[in-house]
Amino acid sequence: MGSGENRETGAGAAAGASAGAGERSRAGARAGAGAGAGTDAGVRAGATGLPGAGVRAGVAGTGRPPRPDVTVVGGGLIGLVTAWRAAGAGLSVAVVDPAPGGGAASVAAGMLAPVTELHHGEEALLDLNLASARRYPDFVAELAEHAEGDVGYRACGTLAVALDADDRALLRESHLLQRQCGLAAEWLTGRECRRLEPMLAPGVRGGLRVDGDHQVDPRRLTAALLAACERAGVALVRREASALLVNGDRAVGVRLADGDQLHAAHTVLAGGSRSGRLAGLPPEVSVPVRPVKGQILRLRDLPGLPPLLGRTVRAVVRGEQVYLVPRANGELVLGATSEERGWDTSVTAGGVYQLLRDAHELLPGITELPLVETRAGLRPTTPDNGPLLGPTALPGLQLATGHHRNGVLLAPITGETLAATLTGAEPPDQARPFHAGRFTGAGAGAATGAGGPAGADRPANAGAGTGASPLARAGRSSEVSA
């Protein structure tokens, strides 16, 4: 998809491959690139596609290897964490994107909320979310060693509240589901909620205190990953990728918009909601990712006054969700709509009005804050709301896309999973149900094959599904990006 606000976001995790394994894979990858990309005969290519890359192939002084081990198509948060982890595993990597570091991360709120994002029928996704959330402290600490600046990680917890009896019943239903899954969430009275957050409206009827759901600043996180990639030797090719190159039965790289070709042993599609629109994808490769629009607002606390909130607050207001994420720098993020509007990313008066109206009922003081930004982005969404990770039916082609509302949360485990599959190592067990071939019946036996154990974070009652949470049945749900 295009650069800027319409692509995906995420973060990174501990790489799972040893240096020795990385070096062996690197040698094998280069051998594969030589075998698969040494001729243009039989190469299939198409017309227009994903955001791509820049720097003419093979030009001296560009810093880009003429034939990297891995080409990542898409330089948003997910693409960058994939590239950083692959480079850390010993592979040479190029990221193809006209504006790396953009994407939906510039729109996302950055909630790390596996508990309050739990939906009926998504227990397998819960395992993945919990595993990634558990990696975040170490991931952020490691990233700080490779890039300057704070990424805004805050272990502040989350408070989910309801304003009337019907919304409280929905929240009670969510609490029951969380308890059935062995998750830590404490029911509070309205008075107890206001004791935690005194600026909440008097009408708050009850809530859930979830101390394990945190936040990060996606914009800072993406900037840090971009810097870490550059320091790790990842080449940034600031042009568009127009088509996948296929030689025989193997992906061998991408064609750039100006006609240049970038060959690689492995190609990773990490282009968010536009990942499936890259020309040249063969019929046996399914990338069922669609865009789901989300509008989001940014406000700022008044100078000289304490912030309105000290933690993330989520609410059900007349059956619709709203969330407020306070940043340490005084920013307050308010979101988000959930709209099936195709590729439209316009900000609408109706969307802004609904968000502010519902937030005012929850937090009356919000109307005094300056409104500093309105944005809209696209969540890359699959039929089961889970990501597509790892090898496809086409050798040489892997996916890192489709994270829907959880792109920022799942970045650590996504980076770890792709580093593993690119080097022939075993991915985390929690990633196995989300292999890239699950919608075509292909790829189940690949490194990210389905059927992994339930995971160590919760009881083994997981099951895949597409059910909606009682907190997300109407109107709006979840943060933009993922």
Side-chain angles (χ1 to χ4, degrees), residues 154-212:
R154 296 183 65 196
C156 58
T158 295
L159 181 65
V161 302
L163 288 172
D164 61 30
D166 290 339
D167 295 335
R168 183 172 61 178
L170 289 176
L171 200 58
R172 282 284 195 186
E173 188 178 342
S174 287
H175 189 213
L176 177 60
L177 176 61
Q178 291 161 358
R179 292 178 61 186
Q180 289 172 343
C181 292
L183 302 174
E186 178 188 2
W187 182 263
L188 302 180
T189 65
R191 179 174 297 180
E192 290 170 329
C193 291
R194 289 187 294 276
R195 190 176 298 130
L196 283 179
E197 295 292 344
M199 300 305 293
L200 289 176
V204 169
R205 302 289 296 274
L208 290 174
R209 177 176 178 172
V210 182
D211 290 337

Side-chain angles (χ1 to χ4, degrees), residues 15-29:
S18 68
E23 289 301 319
R24 289 192 297 271
S25 174
R26 185 173 181 174

